[in-house]
Amino acid sequence: MAVLKMNFLSKYLGMQTNITVCLPSFSFRDVMNNNQDFYVRGMKFQTLYLLHGGAGDDSDYVNFTNIVRYADENRIAVVMPCDYNFFYTDDPKGPKYWRYVSEELMEVCQTLFPLSDKPEDNFVAGLSMGG
């Protein structure tokens, strides 16, 4: 499992923002199972967009849960954005967090990473204000 920390300029937030991404990659399990055909050109992963709770950030799940292990076991990508305590809502006079999460984040991630754009392959979950 590859764990990536990324920072990019968001058009809806009007600022640089962070995301943490877990991408399935060749692992010790593949070695043990003698799986030699893991990397396939054009392969797209199902994706979980995982929203953190209040006073948290994009690294909470990696630091305080087993999300990396679960994602690796199930060969699913996980994208964890940072919300900066805006409750994933659009501010009429400020950042548009809902548009960022529901539109821009998926577009950016599906362009830069091997993530499926099929609706049935994309999921959203979270806890507290992210739930």
Side-chain angles (χ1 to χ4, degrees), residues 24-87:
S25 63
F26 191 73
S27 69
F28 289 113
R29 184 168 33 116
D30 295 310
V31 172
M32 299 303 290
N33 293 332
N34 200 25
N35 180 6
Q36 301 299 317
D37 299 322
F38 181 77
Y39 296 111
V40 178
R41 289 195 187 279
M43 180 171 54
K44 301 288 185 175
F45 294 107
Q46 290 183 318
T47 308
L48 171 62
Y49 292 87
L50 192 54
L51 310 179
H52 67 78
D57 68 13
D58 58 296
S59 64
D60 281 0
Y61 289 105
V62 171
N63 292 332
F64 304 118
T65 73
N66 290 313
I67 192 63
V68 174
R69 181 169 54 95
Y70 298 147
D72 184 49
E73 287 172 358
N74 293 285
R75 297 279 193 236
I76 187 169
V78 181
V79 176
M80 296 159 278
C82 193
D83 178 68
Y84 308 99
N85 290 333
F86 272 86
F87 291 84

